[in-house]
């Protein structure tokens, strides 16, 4: 079965760096756009960063210059490098992957990771 598994991390201090990753597992699939979202209570989900199949990237204004998204297609993995973390970065982080199954029917699916709570505090 196709799954998207996300790494986990707990409490980190302001100013440090952290890298999250998500791995899409399964046979006969192609991963297209991969993205990272975050959400805090009482606020709408925010698209933090995304990366296309040709490695075109997009970032939220709040993380530009600090976060970097990349991918390793050989491993079906997306990485979110987070630098100079701030308390306002505290949120539940979710990754997503738009995939296409390599079958005659060409099924298009959007997968979600299980979520990772990142807490930035001293």
């Amino acid at each position: 079965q196709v799954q998207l598994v996300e790494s986990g991390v707990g409490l980190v201090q302001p100013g440090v760096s952290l890298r999250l990753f998500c791995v899409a597992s399964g046979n006969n699939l192609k991963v297209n756009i991969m993205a990272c979202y975050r959400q805090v209570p009482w606020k709408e989900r925010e698209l933090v960063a995304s990366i296309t199949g040709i490695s075109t990237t997009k970032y939220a204004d709040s993380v530009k210059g600090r976060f970097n998204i990349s991918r390793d297609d050989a491993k079906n993995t997306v990485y979110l490098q987070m630098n100079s973390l701030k308390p306002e970065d505290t949120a539940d982080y979710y990754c997503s992957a738009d995939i296409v199954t390599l079958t005659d029917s060409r099924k298009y699916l959007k997968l979600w990771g299980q979520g990772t709570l990142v807490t930035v505090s001293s």
Side-chain angles (χ1 to χ4, degrees):
Q1 181 173 317
V2 179
Q3 293 182 327
L4 188 60
V5 180
E6 186 175 352
S7 62
V9 70
L11 176 66
V12 296
Q13 295 183 339
V16 303
S17 296
L18 186 67
R19 179 158 61 185
L20 303 179
F21 68 88
C22 294
V23 182
S25 62
N27 296 321
N28 300 316
L29 62 86
K30 179 181 179 181
V31 181
N32 294 322
I33 297 176
M34 305 186 80
C36 296
Y37 299 82
R38 66 185 182 186
Q39 189 170 25
V40 298
W42 317 116
K43 292 185 178 180
E44 292 190 3
R45 183 183 61 190
E46 177 186 24
L47 175 61
V48 177
S50 64
I51 183 168
T52 69
I54 58 173
S55 297
T56 299
T57 59
K58 179 181 179 181
Y59 299 93
D61 290 338
S62 58
V63 305
K64 286 183 178 178
R66 297 189 298 119
F67 288 12
N68 182 66
I69 190 169
S70 61
R71 62 190 293 157
D72 185 341
D73 289 335
K75 300 179 179 180
N76 287 335
T77 301
V78 62
Y79 303 91
L80 181 66
Q81 178 68 42
M82 302 182 290
N83 301 315
S84 301
L85 283 166
K86 304 175 181 179
E88 50 263 43
D89 293 319
T90 297
D92 286 319
Y93 284 75
Y94 298 88
C95 58
S96 69
D98 296 335
I99 71 167
V100 181
T101 59
L102 301 180
T103 63
D104 292 338
S105 59
R106 287 288 195 275
K107 296 181 178 179
Y108 296 85
L109 302 172
K110 188 179 188 70
L111 305 179
W112 290 92
Q114 76 277 14
T116 297
L117 175 61
V118 176
T119 301
V120 184
S121 176
S122 60

